Amino acid sequence: MAVNLAALGEAIDGRGFASAGRLARKPIAAVEQDTILLPPELVRTDGSLDVYDDVLKLFRPTYSKNRPAIQCSGWVGYIPLNDSFALEVSTRVPVGNLERLVGMAVGYTPDILRKYTRQFAHAVDRPASLFDILTDQLLDAFDHVWEGGLMKTYGRVQRVGSAPVGRIMPFQSQWLSAKSGRPVAVSSAFHRSPDFGPNRVLRHAFEKLLARYIGIREDAQRARVLRLRQAVNRLVGVGRPLLSEVSPEAIAGFVHRLPSQHEYYADALMVAQLIIFDIGLSIRGNGGVAILPSILIDMAKVFENYVRRVLADGLREDERIEVKDGNKGGEGGAKLDLFDPIAEGLKNPGVTPDIVIDVEGKTKLVIDAKYKPAPKVPERDDVNQVVLYGARYGAHRVMLLHAGRKAERQPTELCGQVGDFQVYNGMVDLNAEPIETEETNLVEAVRLLL
């Protein structure tokens, strides 16, 4: 079904979140890890930066060419600096499939600047982590709705009995009295009820979310399930929406007609539409689908979790192979102490390669993910690091897996030998179309090394 994504975007203009989104911040283009010169308007007369205090921690103030500047960190996204300016930080390597990467990065959760909003455009992919954000946003908006009181509307209710309420219907009363042989009154009156369009749309969205989360047993989701159940219970007496009430145009109409004291319904209905119609959000670029708090992505963590998921899924069919996370211990983890044994009284640092691949219980390949383009020869510090990993895990093949691959290069290349260790350059083109082919090629190249 084609969905008119612009209808609600026009309706929410200036309402709810949109009232904060009306700040016309001038965008400053930036790239993660780069140093950006600041416009003079961002520097106060005392030399300090005119930047929101809670945002200042996201980058490092510095000087460049004798001018005030900021050193961007690894965050990608829209970062409001003050009411007039915002950083739009893009990735330092071409990533045409960002939503897919975030969706496959198991365990990764984006950061949210809840005080600051931005417009989001539509995207095809719907990462689970972003879906969690939408769920929380709907629940938060509904809490405000509940605090302000559910909207109710008057509807005509007809009663039959000996105690009439409202206007008596003489013809119907006389006919039923004659038929039953006793006095019967048919009366009609208007009663206020929460069972009407906007509330039915919200209940529909909550029930759809419950169906999604109810079977998930992760501890992190239990609180969401409890809040969803509470929201449905608060909407007791509210029925299922009519087909005509769940179109984007109908939801936009509900928002247009909101009374001023029920502004928070705009936020709740906006997010409910995204959930009902399975609309994904584009992490980059502005659009008119929704106005929500700004979402920031740590691309280094996303890339690491993404490639681990790609290899784990691709090699799963071979029961002899196990792909582990060297950043953690316990089940599925492979973290080790550096020294074994260690001199008495010394603290033993951890060894945490991003990916450890075992075959029949023996480590065959250790991989460290590097979110940067692949050089012809890996950087010396990176080689030192991964060779140490190989020595500790007893793996004679080690790899530095980079984000980016030129067409003429293979997914894996042997760089050379360091003692007993073969050092490989691994590469994956995050801008590939289709990205699934690139993922398959990487899996097959890694399989040949095991």
Side-chain angles (χ1 to χ4, degrees):
M1 179 181 72
V3 179
N4 180 6
L5 300 177
L8 191 59
E10 297 171 358
I12 64 175
D13 182 35
R15 316 196 74 161
F17 284 132
S19 61
R22 296 171 86 177
L23 288 174
R25 295 186 177 96
K26 183 178 180 180
I28 301 174
V31 176
E32 53 179 332
Q33 308 296 346
D34 276 3
T35 298
I36 306 298
L37 295 175
L38 295 177
E41 296 92 330
L42 273 171
V43 183
R44 299 188 182 100
T45 55
D46 63 359
S48 63
L49 296 183
D50 182 15
V51 175
Y52 298 133
D53 290 339
D54 55 342
V55 171
L56 194 58
K57 63 183 179 181
L58 299 176
F59 45 78
R60 184 173 66 85
T62 184
Y63 274 85
S64 178
K65 300 178 182 179
N66 204 30
R67 285 181 53 186
I70 54 174
Q71 171 73 51
C72 294
S73 60
W75 296 112
V76 170
Y78 178 91
I79 305 177
L81 298 176
N82 59 22
D83 289 354
S84 301
F85 292 91
L87 278 180
E88 290 188 344
V89 186
S90 61
T91 59
R92 60 174 168 161
V93 297
V95 183
N97 305 278
L98 181 55
E99 285 72 33
R100 177 176 174 82
L101 263 66
V102 174
M104 293 186 66
V106 177
Y108 176 75
T109 301
D111 274 44
I112 310 171
L113 299 179
R114 296 193 179 276
K115 289 173 59 178
Y116 311 107
T117 60
R118 56 159 289 197
Q119 285 192 326
F120 284 85
H122 171 249
V124 175
D125 291 304
R126 303 183 71 234
S129 55
L130 295 190
F131 197 91
D132 290 344
I133 291 172
L134 285 180
T135 301
D136 293 342
Q137 206 61 49
L138 178 58
L139 287 166
D140 290 345
F142 185 67
D143 283 344
H144 289 298
V145 167
W146 183 254
E147 290 169 6
L150 288 179
M151 282 198 300
K152 296 182 180 180
T153 188
Y154 282 97
R156 185 185 294 274
V157 177
Q158 193 173 80
R159 295 171 181 262
V160 177
S162 58
V165 176
R167 186 166 68 92
I168 295 178
M169 315 294 287
F171 176 78
Q172 292 93 328
S173 299
Q174 185 177 4
W175 183 81
L176 284 177
S177 296
K179 183 178 180 180
S180 62
R182 59 183 179 82
V184 177
V186 179
S187 60
S188 175
F190 284 93
H191 290 269
R192 294 181 72 226
S193 168
D195 187 16
F196 78 124
N199 292 330
R200 289 197 283 256
V201 167
L202 294 180
R203 183 181 179 106
H204 182 51
F206 284 129
E207 288 179 340
K208 184 170 183 176
L209 288 173
L210 261 179
R212 173 190 174 95
Y213 284 104
I214 199 71
I216 301 177
R217 300 188 180 278
E218 299 173 9
D219 290 342
Q221 301 294 5
R222 290 179 181 174
R224 287 193 179 92
V225 172
L226 288 175
R227 290 186 70 191
L228 287 170
R229 290 187 184 278
Q230 182 185 51
V232 172
N233 290 336
R234 285 173 168 177
L235 290 168
V236 63
V238 176
R240 294 183 176 276
L242 303 175
L243 186 61
S244 60
E245 292 175 334
V246 290
S247 70
E249 293 76 14
I251 297 174
F254 295 147
V255 174
H256 271 304
R257 295 189 293 272
L258 286 176
S260 59
Q261 68 270 28
H262 290 291
E263 284 291 305
Y264 276 110
Y265 264 87
D267 300 334
L269 289 169
M270 173 185 65
V271 183
Q273 175 181 250
L274 302 179
I275 291 166
I276 290 170
F277 295 108
D278 297 319
I279 297 172
L281 298 180
S282 174
I283 297 171
R284 297 170 295 185
N286 290 323
V289 175
I291 297 175
L292 293 168
S294 185
I295 298 171
L296 301 184
I297 305 296
D298 185 337
M299 284 304 301
K301 291 183 179 179
V302 167
F303 179 62
E304 171 192 324
N305 290 349
Y306 161 74
V307 292
R308 188 186 302 112
R309 166 75 178 274
V310 167
L311 293 174
D313 288 354
L315 298 171
R316 181 172 288 122
E317 63 185 35
D318 192 332
E319 295 181 354
R320 302 172 305 144
I321 300 174
E322 187 175 5
V323 178
K324 298 181 178 180
D325 182 354
N327 294 291
K328 67 178 186 179
E331 184 178 357
K335 182 178 180 180
L336 296 176
D337 291 331
L338 175 58
F339 296 106
D340 183 24
I342 187 173
E344 185 177 351
L346 297 181
K347 184 177 181 180
N348 207 346
V351 181
T352 56
D354 295 325
I355 303 169
V356 176
I357 303 181
D358 291 353
V359 179
E360 295 182 336
K362 182 176 177 57
T363 301
K364 292 293 185 180
L365 180 65
V366 176
I367 301 174
D368 212 48
K370 298 297 180 184
Y371 176 65
K372 54 187 176 183
K376 281 292 184 181
V377 177
E379 296 177 13
R380 176 65 179 274
D381 287 346
D382 293 342
V383 173
N384 292 347
Q385 181 184 34
V386 78
V387 167
L388 171 65
Y389 291 159
R392 183 64 183 89
Y393 284 83
H396 295 290
R397 288 179 172 174
V398 296
M399 179 184 296
L400 294 158
L401 182 54
H402 296 88
R405 182 180 70 85
K406 294 183 178 180
E408 67 273 13
R409 302 187 68 178
Q410 297 301 311
T412 59
E413 295 175 351
L414 176 62
C415 299
Q417 191 101 4
V418 178
D420 293 333
F421 304 98
Q422 292 180 332
V423 180
Y424 286 85
N425 236 342
M427 290 158 277
V428 56
D429 180 8
L430 304 181
N431 206 38
E433 287 291 344
I435 187 67
E436 292 85 355
T437 301
E438 185 75 3
E439 294 165 356
T440 299
N441 292 339
L442 174 66
V443 169
E444 294 310 310
V446 168
R447 192 193 305 273
L448 294 174
L449 301 179
L450 302 178

